[in-house]
Amino acid sequence: MAERVATATAGSPTRALAGRTFPARYRVATRRAETPDVVTLDLEPLDDPIPPPRPGQFVMLYPFGTGEAAISVSGLGDGGTLQHTIRAVGATTRALCALGRGAVVGVRGPFGSDWGVGSPDLDGLDVVVVAGGLGIAPLRPAVHALLGRPRSGRLSVLVGARSPADLCFADELGRWRRRADLHVAVTVDAAAPGWDGSVGLVTDLLAAAPFDPRRTVALVCGPEVMMRLAARGLEAAGVAPERIRCSLERNMHCAVVRCGHCQLGPLFVCADGPVLPWATVAPLLAVREL
Ligand SMILES: Cc1cc2nc3c(=O)[nH]c(=O)nc-3n(C[C@H](O)[C@H](O)[C@H](O)COP(=O)(O)OP(=O)(O)OC[C@H]3O[C@@H](n4cnc5c(N)ncnc54)[C@H](O)[C@@H]3O)c2cc1C
Ligand code: FES
């Protein structure tokens, strides 16, 4: 069942249509360890599946008896299968990461805004994807969608991680690197034995990325400090702030504009976001403790 969430706040983008608002049961079909503290779960529906999420949207995952957590969709499989990539940071995410094959979880959603990669607005534009750490999770389905549609613009994927061991989807990044239609660059904060790649900030990778700033859309996700640096770097290169799309993280509870946990000034990140233009979020993030 889908319902439209409360009327849009003045000055905010159009709010998304909220997905299923009570949990559907999904079963863990596959569990893969990405890094020592990050796991990817493939979830297959036991009930009617939730409406198909768009790249950038999130769901509320409910390991029964623990609590709910907002988790992005990191991939979509056949038959309504959802992929989620989760870092264990507290009780709920630890419970999710500990789920084994066959375990059952509740899923509400999908919620929020998306990257807009299905829009014809992107035709002919270059796209620069900038991911820090687990920020690659919500960006991965956007890259899949962009690779699957005819576009004349160039596509760059820039990825940063703390260390080589913290890189998620390392095999897939390797496959992407071998493609001729994609520029991929990866960097780490701290190298390790055997790492012969770049060391430094993900924003350092912008200089070698092939894009025309006047005709570019950027998709950015990662820790807030990294997103600020990336957005400023893109702006300095000449990309319009309206064309820099950032995915924000705020504490979520209801995900349907009822509780106010996710409020950021006039915005409710669960419905107006998580993906918002840098032009909208920059003034709000500049206000301390908003
Ligand atoms: C739109 C959205 C998409 C997200 N996608 C993913 C994802 O794909 N994978 C993933 O692992 N996590 C994702 N998160 C973060 C995830 O929701 C939190 O890590 C989770 O709710 C923490 O719950 P917990 O009970 O495990 O830990 P808690 O005990 O609630 O928190 C542990 C620590 O994390 C901090 N924290 C909790 N929630 C957030 C948050 N939303 N932002 C910043 N800090 C927080 C707390 O302050 C505390 O320090 C997303 C969050 C949002 C808002
Ligand atoms: S989580 Fe956004 S209002 Fe409740």
Side-chain angles (χ1 to χ4, degrees), residues 58 68-72 85-87 89-94 134 137 248-252 274:
F58 70 96
E68 280 188 313
I71 302 292
S72 305
T85 303
I86 305 157
R87 170 167 285 132
V89 295
T92 309
T93 46
R94 269 201 300 271
L134 204 55
L248 293 189
E249 268 199 23
R250 285 293 179 274
N251 280 321
M252 301 273 177

mmCIF file of all heavy atoms in Angstrom, residues 58 68-72 85-87 89-94 134 137 248-252 274, ligand 1:
data_model
loop_
_atom_site.group_PDB
_atom_site.id
_atom_site.type_symbol
_atom_site.label_atom_id
_atom_site.label_comp_id
_atom_site.label_asym_id
_atom_site.label_seq_id
_atom_site.Cartn_x
_atom_site.Cartn_y
_atom_site.Cartn_z
ATOM 1 N N PHE A 58 15.669 4.701 0.033
ATOM 2 C CA PHE A 58 16.022 3.832 1.157
ATOM 3 C C PHE A 58 14.781 3.107 1.658
ATOM 4 O O PHE A 58 13.655 3.454 1.287
ATOM 5 C CB PHE A 58 16.674 4.646 2.285
ATOM 6 C CG PHE A 58 15.731 5.578 3.014
ATOM 7 C CD1 PHE A 58 15.120 5.200 4.201
ATOM 8 C CD2 PHE A 58 15.452 6.844 2.511
ATOM 9 C CE1 PHE A 58 14.255 6.059 4.864
ATOM 10 C CE2 PHE A 58 14.598 7.710 3.175
ATOM 11 C CZ PHE A 58 13.992 7.321 4.349
ATOM 12 N N GLU A 68 14.255 -0.563 14.066
ATOM 13 C CA GLU A 68 14.342 -0.334 12.620
ATOM 14 C C GLU A 68 15.525 0.560 12.299
ATOM 15 O O GLU A 68 15.886 1.437 13.090
ATOM 16 C CB GLU A 68 13.079 0.368 12.121
ATOM 17 C CG GLU A 68 11.895 -0.542 11.912
ATOM 18 C CD GLU A 68 10.764 0.223 11.228
ATOM 19 O OE1 GLU A 68 10.449 1.346 11.653
ATOM 20 O OE2 GLU A 68 10.202 -0.303 10.266
ATOM 21 N N ALA A 69 16.108 0.368 11.127
ATOM 22 C CA ALA A 69 17.172 1.259 10.658
ATOM 23 C C ALA A 69 16.900 1.629 9.205
ATOM 24 O O ALA A 69 16.431 0.803 8.414
ATOM 25 C CB ALA A 69 18.536 0.568 10.767
ATOM 26 N N ALA A 70 17.208 2.903 8.883
ATOM 27 C CA ALA A 70 17.122 3.359 7.490
ATOM 28 C C ALA A 70 18.325 2.799 6.752
ATOM 29 O O ALA A 70 19.466 3.013 7.170
ATOM 30 C CB ALA A 70 17.148 4.879 7.443
ATOM 31 N N ILE A 71 18.086 2.084 5.681
ATOM 32 C CA ILE A 71 19.177 1.474 4.900
ATOM 33 C C ILE A 71 18.883 1.681 3.419
ATOM 34 O O ILE A 71 17.783 1.398 2.940
ATOM 35 C CB ILE A 71 19.309 -0.046 5.207
ATOM 36 C CG1 ILE A 71 19.568 -0.294 6.715
ATOM 37 C CG2 ILE A 71 20.402 -0.683 4.349
ATOM 38 C CD1 ILE A 71 20.907 0.163 7.261
ATOM 39 N N SER A 72 19.881 2.162 2.692
ATOM 40 C CA SER A 72 19.725 2.403 1.262
ATOM 41 C C SER A 72 19.621 1.093 0.507
ATOM 42 O O SER A 72 20.090 0.053 0.965
ATOM 43 C CB SER A 72 20.941 3.153 0.726
ATOM 44 O OG SER A 72 21.135 4.328 1.456
ATOM 45 N N THR A 85 23.529 -2.972 1.850
ATOM 46 C CA THR A 85 24.910 -3.078 2.314
ATOM 47 C C THR A 85 24.997 -2.302 3.615
ATOM 48 O O THR A 85 24.727 -1.096 3.649
ATOM 49 C CB THR A 85 25.855 -2.543 1.229
ATOM 50 O OG1 THR A 85 25.595 -3.306 0.038
ATOM 51 C CG2 THR A 85 27.310 -2.689 1.621
ATOM 52 N N ILE A 86 25.355 -3.007 4.691
ATOM 53 C CA ILE A 86 25.120 -2.483 6.033
ATOM 54 C C ILE A 86 26.398 -2.520 6.869
ATOM 55 O O ILE A 86 27.088 -3.543 6.919
ATOM 56 C CB ILE A 86 24.034 -3.342 6.745
ATOM 57 C CG1 ILE A 86 22.755 -3.382 5.866
ATOM 58 C CG2 ILE A 86 23.718 -2.789 8.132
ATOM 59 C CD1 ILE A 86 21.873 -4.572 6.157
ATOM 60 N N ARG A 87 26.693 -1.391 7.531
ATOM 61 C CA ARG A 87 27.819 -1.356 8.474
ATOM 62 C C ARG A 87 27.266 -1.498 9.889
ATOM 63 O O ARG A 87 26.341 -0.781 10.284
ATOM 64 C CB ARG A 87 28.595 -0.039 8.357
ATOM 65 C CG ARG A 87 29.620 0.132 9.483
ATOM 66 C CD ARG A 87 30.600 1.242 9.229
ATOM 67 N NE ARG A 87 31.570 0.848 8.236
ATOM 68 C CZ ARG A 87 31.923 1.592 7.177
ATOM 69 N NH1 ARG A 87 31.379 2.776 7.002
ATOM 70 N NH2 ARG A 87 32.825 1.152 6.326
ATOM 71 N N VAL A 89 27.079 -0.585 13.358
ATOM 72 C CA VAL A 89 27.518 0.517 14.233
ATOM 73 C C VAL A 89 26.786 0.514 15.569
ATOM 74 O O VAL A 89 27.254 1.112 16.531
ATOM 75 C CB VAL A 89 27.331 1.907 13.561
ATOM 76 C CG1 VAL A 89 28.212 2.059 12.340
ATOM 77 C CG2 VAL A 89 25.873 2.190 13.231
ATOM 78 N N GLY A 90 25.616 -0.108 15.647
ATOM 79 C CA GLY A 90 24.829 -0.115 16.888
ATOM 80 C C GLY A 90 23.939 -1.348 16.908
ATOM 81 O O GLY A 90 24.100 -2.255 16.082
ATOM 82 N N ALA A 91 22.949 -1.351 17.832
ATOM 83 C CA ALA A 91 22.177 -2.580 18.076
ATOM 84 C C ALA A 91 21.468 -3.083 16.817
ATOM 85 O O ALA A 91 21.528 -4.275 16.496
ATOM 86 C CB ALA A 91 21.166 -2.318 19.191
ATOM 87 N N THR A 92 20.804 -2.185 16.088
ATOM 88 C CA THR A 92 19.989 -2.643 14.953
ATOM 89 C C THR A 92 20.866 -3.098 13.788
ATOM 90 O O THR A 92 20.631 -4.155 13.188
ATOM 91 C CB THR A 92 19.041 -1.514 14.488
ATOM 92 O OG1 THR A 92 18.339 -1.029 15.634
ATOM 93 C CG2 THR A 92 18.059 -2.009 13.459
ATOM 94 N N THR A 93 21.861 -2.298 13.456
ATOM 95 C CA THR A 93 22.723 -2.684 12.324
ATOM 96 C C THR A 93 23.556 -3.918 12.677
ATOM 97 O O THR A 93 23.844 -4.736 11.806
ATOM 98 C CB THR A 93 23.611 -1.508 11.885
ATOM 99 O OG1 THR A 93 24.200 -0.905 13.035
ATOM 100 C CG2 THR A 93 22.816 -0.473 11.112
ATOM 101 N N ARG A 94 23.932 -4.070 13.942
ATOM 102 C CA ARG A 94 24.645 -5.302 14.343
ATOM 103 C C ARG A 94 23.735 -6.514 14.152
ATOM 104 O O ARG A 94 24.149 -7.554 13.649
ATOM 105 C CB ARG A 94 25.109 -5.214 15.806
ATOM 106 C CG ARG A 94 26.510 -4.628 15.950
ATOM 107 C CD ARG A 94 27.143 -5.002 17.288
ATOM 108 N NE ARG A 94 26.358 -4.521 18.411
ATOM 109 C CZ ARG A 94 26.507 -3.328 18.963
ATOM 110 N NH1 ARG A 94 27.418 -2.496 18.508
ATOM 111 N NH2 ARG A 94 25.752 -2.956 19.973
ATOM 112 N N LEU A 134 31.005 3.973 2.794
ATOM 113 C CA LEU A 134 29.774 3.248 2.485
ATOM 114 C C LEU A 134 28.856 4.043 1.553
ATOM 115 O O LEU A 134 27.812 3.538 1.130
ATOM 116 C CB LEU A 134 29.055 2.900 3.798
ATOM 117 C CG LEU A 134 28.104 1.724 3.773
ATOM 118 C CD1 LEU A 134 28.773 0.468 3.265
ATOM 119 C CD2 LEU A 134 27.499 1.503 5.143
ATOM 120 N N ALA A 137 27.209 2.526 -1.506
ATOM 121 C CA ALA A 137 26.019 1.649 -1.476
ATOM 122 C C ALA A 137 24.831 2.265 -2.231
ATOM 123 O O ALA A 137 24.316 1.648 -3.176
ATOM 124 C CB ALA A 137 25.645 1.291 -0.047
ATOM 125 N N LEU A 248 21.860 12.891 2.023
ATOM 126 C CA LEU A 248 22.078 13.230 3.432
ATOM 127 C C LEU A 248 21.671 12.088 4.350
ATOM 128 O O LEU A 248 20.753 11.335 4.038
ATOM 129 C CB LEU A 248 21.238 14.450 3.808
ATOM 130 C CG LEU A 248 21.599 15.778 3.177
ATOM 131 C CD1 LEU A 248 20.797 16.889 3.832
ATOM 132 C CD2 LEU A 248 23.081 16.065 3.292
ATOM 133 N N GLU A 249 22.344 12.009 5.490
ATOM 134 C CA GLU A 249 21.943 11.050 6.531
ATOM 135 C C GLU A 249 21.490 11.818 7.754
ATOM 136 O O GLU A 249 22.209 12.697 8.244
ATOM 137 C CB GLU A 249 23.118 10.159 6.923
ATOM 138 C CG GLU A 249 23.164 8.894 6.121
ATOM 139 C CD GLU A 249 24.014 7.813 6.768
ATOM 140 O OE1 GLU A 249 24.216 7.848 7.994
ATOM 141 O OE2 GLU A 249 24.473 6.951 6.022
ATOM 142 N N ARG A 250 20.325 11.522 8.227
ATOM 143 C CA ARG A 250 19.844 12.033 9.498
ATOM 144 C C ARG A 250 19.201 10.877 10.251
ATOM 145 O O ARG A 250 18.815 9.879 9.645
ATOM 146 C CB ARG A 250 18.809 13.160 9.293
ATOM 147 C CG ARG A 250 19.436 14.491 8.860
ATOM 148 C CD ARG A 250 20.283 15.070 9.997
ATOM 149 N NE ARG A 250 20.945 16.315 9.678
ATOM 150 C CZ ARG A 250 22.124 16.448 9.077
ATOM 151 N NH1 ARG A 250 22.760 15.377 8.656
ATOM 152 N NH2 ARG A 250 22.675 17.620 8.887
ATOM 153 N N ASN A 251 19.050 10.999 11.558
ATOM 154 C CA ASN A 251 18.381 9.940 12.293
ATOM 155 C C ASN A 251 16.951 9.809 11.799
ATOM 156 O O ASN A 251 16.258 10.809 11.658
ATOM 157 C CB ASN A 251 18.377 10.242 13.795
ATOM 158 C CG ASN A 251 19.705 9.883 14.418
ATOM 159 O OD1 ASN A 251 20.305 8.869 14.052
ATOM 160 N ND2 ASN A 251 20.171 10.709 15.322
ATOM 161 N N MET A 252 16.536 8.604 11.520
ATOM 162 C CA MET A 252 15.187 8.352 11.007
ATOM 163 C C MET A 252 14.418 7.508 12.016
ATOM 164 O O MET A 252 14.996 6.610 12.650
ATOM 165 C CB MET A 252 15.256 7.561 9.695
ATOM 166 C CG MET A 252 16.020 8.226 8.594
ATOM 167 S SD MET A 252 14.974 9.317 7.676
ATOM 168 C CE MET A 252 16.161 9.987 6.531
ATOM 169 N N PRO A 274 16.476 11.538 0.803
ATOM 170 C CA PRO A 274 17.824 11.948 1.220
ATOM 171 C C PRO A 274 18.613 12.687 0.141
ATOM 172 O O PRO A 274 19.551 13.371 0.452
ATOM 173 C CB PRO A 274 18.508 10.622 1.586
ATOM 174 C CG PRO A 274 17.817 9.604 0.729
ATOM 175 C CD PRO A 274 16.386 10.059 0.606
HETATM 176 C C1 LIG B 1 18.682 7.712 4.186
HETATM 177 C C2 LIG B 1 19.644 6.849 4.965
HETATM 178 C C3 LIG B 1 20.254 5.793 4.325
HETATM 179 C C4 LIG B 1 21.171 4.997 5.033
HETATM 180 N N1 LIG B 1 21.740 3.948 4.376
HETATM 181 C C5 LIG B 1 22.580 3.135 5.057
HETATM 182 C C6 LIG B 1 23.157 2.007 4.404
HETATM 183 O O1 LIG B 1 22.921 1.742 3.213
HETATM 184 N N2 LIG B 1 23.961 1.215 5.132
HETATM 185 C C7 LIG B 1 24.238 1.468 6.465
HETATM 186 O O2 LIG B 1 24.980 0.705 7.085
HETATM 187 N N3 LIG B 1 23.721 2.532 7.104
HETATM 188 C C8 LIG B 1 22.883 3.359 6.434
HETATM 189 N N4 LIG B 1 22.329 4.424 7.086
HETATM 190 C C9 LIG B 1 22.682 4.673 8.503
HETATM 191 C C10 LIG B 1 21.857 3.760 9.401
HETATM 192 O O3 LIG B 1 20.496 4.129 9.319
HETATM 193 C C11 LIG B 1 22.339 3.903 10.856
HETATM 194 O O4 LIG B 1 23.675 3.477 10.946
HETATM 195 C C12 LIG B 1 21.476 3.044 11.765
HETATM 196 O O5 LIG B 1 20.185 3.608 11.906
HETATM 197 C C13 LIG B 1 22.110 2.951 13.139
HETATM 198 O O6 LIG B 1 21.204 2.198 13.971
HETATM 199 P P1 LIG B 1 21.775 1.275 15.147
HETATM 200 O O7 LIG B 1 20.623 0.917 16.023
HETATM 201 O O8 LIG B 1 22.554 0.158 14.581
HETATM 202 O O9 LIG B 1 22.791 2.193 15.896
HETATM 203 P P2 LIG B 1 22.501 3.381 16.905
HETATM 204 O O10 LIG B 1 22.747 2.891 18.272
HETATM 205 O O11 LIG B 1 21.177 4.021 16.595
HETATM 206 O O12 LIG B 1 23.636 4.378 16.439
HETATM 207 C C14 LIG B 1 25.009 4.058 16.525
HETATM 208 C C15 LIG B 1 25.801 5.310 16.219
HETATM 209 O O13 LIG B 1 25.499 5.769 14.875
HETATM 210 C C16 LIG B 1 24.957 7.116 14.933
HETATM 211 N N5 LIG B 1 23.865 7.187 13.953
HETATM 212 C C17 LIG B 1 22.696 6.510 13.978
HETATM 213 N N6 LIG B 1 21.954 6.765 12.899
HETATM 214 C C18 LIG B 1 22.657 7.653 12.169
HETATM 215 C C19 LIG B 1 22.449 8.306 10.946
HETATM 216 N N7 LIG B 1 21.356 8.134 10.239
HETATM 217 N N8 LIG B 1 23.400 9.134 10.500
HETATM 218 C C20 LIG B 1 24.521 9.332 11.190
HETATM 219 N N9 LIG B 1 24.797 8.731 12.352
HETATM 220 C C21 LIG B 1 23.880 7.910 12.844
HETATM 221 C C22 LIG B 1 24.462 7.297 16.348
HETATM 222 O O14 LIG B 1 24.517 8.671 16.720
HETATM 223 C C23 LIG B 1 25.457 6.471 17.140
HETATM 224 O O15 LIG B 1 26.650 7.190 17.349
HETATM 225 C C24 LIG B 1 21.442 5.260 6.399
HETATM 226 C C25 LIG B 1 20.811 6.331 7.038
HETATM 227 C C26 LIG B 1 19.935 7.127 6.327
HETATM 228 C C27 LIG B 1 19.270 8.263 7.018
#
